[in-house]
Amino acid sequence: MPVTTPGPGPAEDAPAAGPSLRSGSLGTADIAFFVVSAAAPLTVMAGVAPLAILLGGIGAPVGYLLAGITLAVFAVGFTTMSRHVRSGGAFYAFVTRGLGRHIGIGAALLALIGYNGMEIGVYGLLGTATQDTTHALFGTDVPWLPVSLAGLLLIGYGGYRSIDFGAKVLGVLLAAETGILALLAAGVLIKGGAHGLSLHSFTPGNVLVPGTAAVLAFAFAAFTGFESTVIYRREARDPARTVPRATYIAVAFLGLFYAFVVWTVIQAFGDAEVVEAAGTDPAGLFFSAITTYVGAWAADLMHVLIVTSVLASLLAFHNAINRYGLALAEEGILPKALARVHPRHGSPYVAGIAQTVLGAVVVLAFAAAGADPYGQLLLWVNTPGMLGLMALQLLAAVAVPVYFRRISHREGVLRTVVAPVAAAVLLSTAIVLVITHLDLFTGASAGVNTLLAAIVPAVFLAGLAFAAWLRRRRPEIYARFASEPPGAESGEAAASHPAASRSGG
């Protein structure tokens, strides 16, 4: 039987009328820019891929392909459900529809921790990347803290401006960072690599090695944030089409591009030599390759573009967090002030200010404790954020088939059952791989890693307890949690819409 979605509560509890997000501002390419920029392709490749090669050998490119295939399977059910759920809450709305309000509220807290963790930790990376760049180019050392604080202000301003402003900035920065990687790849291909080009990276003997599990853990982390396409549906043009398209484009681009770039770097050094080169100087592997095959000027440019890559990732995550804050404020979960939208820019500027302040508090606290900006601020804050987002993906995958069993719809069984169940199995495996290789991400002791991993279930359990409290003390907020926005079609109506009925299993 179809289920009915609870409507808004009493009028006084509904969000006040006023400025709103700019609907129809973002096309498919704009949303894809936000998602791919959040993944920071240049930073992931130059900073992490050498470790994947060191651990997994020349079969490392396949790890990125397998991660991309897994997330593409997840995207099938995820994007199908996005046509039926129009709430601005994205992940937590999906989970609520399928698994109930208690679990949905737990997912909402996970989303806050996950996206904030993924952004705030990266301010430590911004400081160290800028240090490395100024030292490489000018031989000078700059303190990381002022750089990180300046980055907070810059990103805060970017989030304050309109969403189309952010899309234009990210479009330019993303083109630059992918362009330098494409330039490196072109140089290697034109010169034929160190000993001629080979496809040995894709043979079973080089893929089925013990280190592949570690490569997969790195590869899944490299896609973090791709699912944020649905966060922008209120600002998208024709969201039933643009959101799924942007999701598939982002997953396909990242999976294929990562694998291609890693393969070309392997060719730059040679199958027999690349692992030793990665072990000798992992941080310099990409810079050495681009110096050899393109020129020293390109290596200098790559140093600069790593800094802009980090800034692009920060801006993308900042915009995603702001929209989650806005949605949860409209729900009544967060303070109502966070639901204010700028009258001219159409941005959730109060949520943005709050996020910037939170980021500054965390950065300053780590600095006051004398923490290392990379080894502790970045890795210790990012790790629970990454695990939180992976847990959200798993919950969403489980929610999809449960949701479609409860409503009348015209979607095919492949989209509503087979793909999401397969995604749930694959994502569970990915989470286990990441947790069992957590020391590779953090470089910390077993005790620290256990604590970092425990943050995710602890936050989720706190969300369940908060949901129980809301049900008893604020039943009107609990009853309308993750309900469809006023005027939106219900899931049943969407199921009969031609755009929905075209996609069979």
Side-chain angles (χ1 to χ4, degrees), residues 88-157:
F91 261 144
Y92 76 73
F94 285 38
V95 174
T96 300
R97 292 289 198 287
L99 304 179
R101 292 188 183 90
H102 264 64
I103 297 179
I105 292 171
L109 265 65
L110 272 183
L112 286 177
I113 292 296
Y115 281 103
N116 273 290
M118 288 304 299
E119 187 200 14
I120 293 172
V122 176
Y123 284 108
L125 176 59
L126 176 63
T128 56
T130 304
Q131 280 183 327
D132 292 343
T133 296
T134 56
H135 184 80
L137 298 183
F138 309 111
T140 59
D141 295 314
V142 297
W144 72 269
L145 182 58
V147 173
S148 297
L149 294 177
L152 276 158
L153 295 176
L154 183 62
I155 297 304
Y157 174 74

Side-chain angles (χ1 to χ4, degrees), residues 8 55-56 64 135 193 268 271 292 302 317 335 379 445 461 477:
L55 295 168
Y64 292 93
H135 184 80
D271 292 345
T292 300
M302 182 178 280
F317 273 114
L379 300 181
S445 65
L461 291 174
I477 291 176

Side-chain angles (χ1 to χ4, degrees), residues 101-102 104-106 108-109 328 331-334 462-482:
R101 292 188 183 90
H102 264 64
I105 292 171
L109 265 65
L328 287 170
E331 302 274 14
I333 301 296
L334 294 179
L464 297 181
F466 181 57
W469 181 87
L470 280 176
R471 188 174 187 177
R472 291 193 308 270
R473 300 296 182 89
R474 304 292 302 276
E476 72 286 354
I477 291 176
Y478 181 85
R480 71 163 186 264
F481 182 76

